[in-house]
Amino acid sequence: MIIVMKTGSGRNEIGRVTKRIEDFGLKTHISEGVDHTVIGVLGKVFTELRDALELLPGVEQVLLVSKPYKLASREFHPRDTIVEAKGVPIGGNEVVVMAGPCAIESEEQLLATAQAVKAAGATVLRGGAFKPRTSPYDFRGLGEAGLKILAAVGKENKMPVITEVMSPDQVDLVAKYADILQIGARNMQNFILLDEVGKTKKPVLLKRGLSSTIQEWLLAAEYILAQDNEQVILCERGIRTFETYTRNTLDISAIPIIEKVSHLPIIIDPSHATGKWYLVSPIALAAVAAGADGLLIEVHPNPDLALADGPQSLNFDSFRSLMSQLLPIAKARNRKLIIPSAKTNP
Ligand code: PEP
Ligand code: MN
């Protein structure tokens, strides 16, 4: 249930409404919009409460929210959420590009990649240290040594860093080094992990599960938001379908759907969505055209030698070329994209 307050209603009126809700043993969530303040009610709603609230001064409308997710919904929070990672806003006017290798292999590899992607316009550095691999015999990441490299290279290049955390007992360790905690597709419904990253209050990038519906994805986001962590970024990375040509099938319609039903930023990972490097650029361009707030892209100095996800990784040249092609698309959507090396920026 949400309560829409009248324009100009003051602190006293809002206070009376929240008190009445709390007297019923329920929690409230206040969102101040340009014209109206909206008060969301969390928990099981009673008809008596609805009737009581409708009579209070300052209340314009009491509406029932039929969706099972509340804090993640546009109704509860009409204004876009802008997540901030060390000064980089995600979900605002700028298209944010996060780039780097699938897995951190060495300091040289990560440093070279960070310098190349930054010069091309990426503002967040990605790199996996704990890797979820389908086969246990594949390279599973450098662990804490990788996190140390990531934090050092990020600092040196003044880029916030994002990396995956795979289990609840790793959260404190990964949060020590990362600016954004990534929840991988395979862990989207690891609810204890979602609680734990929620408690850190750090930005969290939540990937959509391999076979999850948009509603299940938003309910997973709700777990993080319910811990009072509003810094959630959604990431569509392709879902399982009958098609085998691509690694996954990118659900491009998720972009405008999320924009309609949620206030959370949505970014696209064209690397895992396609599994093939030559499909990454066209899909990335389509995602920004469809309104994505950003991209998460795998880049490697020498994809042929990569220890993880080489076939879907861009080399530096292809990444630079993608970034310059993105400029007019971002401009057409009235979004900003800053490429340090480009002569003209929108
Ligand atoms: C990754 O970003 O390297 C990764 C493992 O992604 P996903 O969880 O989407 O498979
Ligand atoms: Mn990968």
Side-chain angles (χ1 to χ4, degrees):
M1 185 164 72
I2 58 168
I3 297 97
V4 182
M5 299 299 290
K6 287 185 178 145
T7 311
S9 56
R11 213 183 274 171
N12 280 349
E13 286 146 334
I14 293 168
R16 277 174 77 175
V17 173
T18 52
K19 180 161 185 320
R20 185 62 66 90
I21 297 165
E22 282 154 17
D23 287 347
F24 274 82
L26 299 167
K27 273 177 74 181
T28 56
H29 177 268
I30 300 181
S31 169
E32 296 191 13
V34 187
D35 295 324
H36 299 275
T37 294
V38 171
I39 303 168
V41 182
L42 292 163
K44 199 155 171 50
V45 172
F46 313 88
T47 345
E48 303 96 282
L49 174 62
R50 186 182 177 178
D51 296 344
L53 293 173
E54 268 173 349
L55 299 172
L56 289 180
V59 172
E60 179 158 303
Q61 236 186 334
V62 180
L63 301 166
L64 290 174
V65 178
S66 52
K67 298 181 183 98
Y69 51 88
K70 311 285 177 197
L71 296 169
S73 75
R74 238 328 145 202
E75 286 100 325
F76 258 57
H77 192 294
R79 280 205 283 187
D80 287 345
T81 283
I82 301 181
V83 172
E84 212 206 278
K86 262 203 182 151
V88 173
I90 303 148
N93 185 241
E94 225 165 285
V95 172
V96 175
V97 179
M98 308 180 181
C102 177
I104 299 154
E105 297 166 11
S106 67
E107 183 156 0
E108 299 69 51
Q109 170 237 24
L110 191 68
L111 183 58
T113 311
Q115 289 167 342
V117 298
K118 185 176 176 168
T123 48
V124 177
L125 179 65
R126 70 149 284 156
F130 292 101
K131 297 299 309 171
R133 301 307 301 270
T134 302
S135 163
Y137 307 118
D138 286 341
F139 177 60
R140 294 168 70 179
L142 295 179
E144 187 171 3
L147 294 176
K148 287 186 174 154
I149 295 173
L150 181 65
V153 172
K155 193 167 173 207
E156 194 178 327
N157 290 279
K158 297 194 179 56
M159 296 172 89
V161 295
I162 175 169
T163 196
E164 177 162 353
V165 53
M166 284 174 53
S167 67
D169 61 348
Q170 274 175 0
V171 171
D172 287 345
L173 175 73
V174 177
K176 212 165 90 183
Y177 298 100
D179 301 303
I180 307 174
L181 299 169
Q182 176 174 323
I183 301 294
R186 291 154 192 81
N187 263 321
M188 189 202 84
Q189 285 188 318
N190 182 337
F191 299 117
I192 307 293
L193 178 60
L194 300 176
D195 284 341
E196 290 306 311
V197 294
K199 287 179 198 158
T200 66
K201 310 286 184 279
K202 282 210 162 195
V204 177
L205 179 136
L206 177 65
K207 290 213 173 182
R208 180 176 179 181
L210 305 169
S211 299
S212 298
T213 64
I214 288 177
Q215 180 162 303
E216 287 163 343
W217 186 20
L218 287 166
L219 279 166
E222 189 83 7
Y223 270 82
I224 304 167
L225 298 167
Q227 295 294 334
D228 283 332
N229 184 349
E230 300 199 340
Q231 305 258 89
V232 179
I233 307 153
L234 298 169
C235 177
E236 158 67 39
R237 43 77 77 207
I239 47 176
R240 278 278 165 93
T241 67
F242 54 80
E243 182 55 71
T244 53
Y245 193 87
T246 45
R247 185 173 176 181
N248 292 289
T249 299
L250 181 79
D251 180 6
I252 196 124
S253 55
I255 303 167
I257 293 170
I258 291 295
E259 198 185 332
K260 180 171 152 52
V261 302
S262 180
H263 52 92
L264 297 172
I266 171 156
I267 74 160
I268 297 301
D269 171 350
S271 310
H272 293 88
T274 62
K276 295 186 160 98
W277 72 269
Y278 60 88
L279 297 176
V280 168
S281 286
I283 294 307
L285 297 173
V288 172
D293 295 300
L295 298 165
L296 179 69
I297 297 179
E298 288 184 338
V299 179
H300 193 282
N302 190 344
D304 290 347
L305 301 178
L307 297 182
D309 285 348
Q312 67 191 35
S313 299
L314 296 185
N315 61 24
F316 299 164
D317 278 345
S318 336
F319 183 70
R320 272 191 288 271
S321 148
L322 162 61
M323 292 301 285
S324 61
Q325 291 173 65
L326 268 178
L327 268 178
I329 311 271
K331 197 174 173 189
R333 292 286 321 209
N334 276 326
R335 306 290 290 255
K336 228 163 72 178
L337 179 70
I338 304 192
I339 299 188
S341 50
K343 285 189 193 75
T344 50
N345 278 305

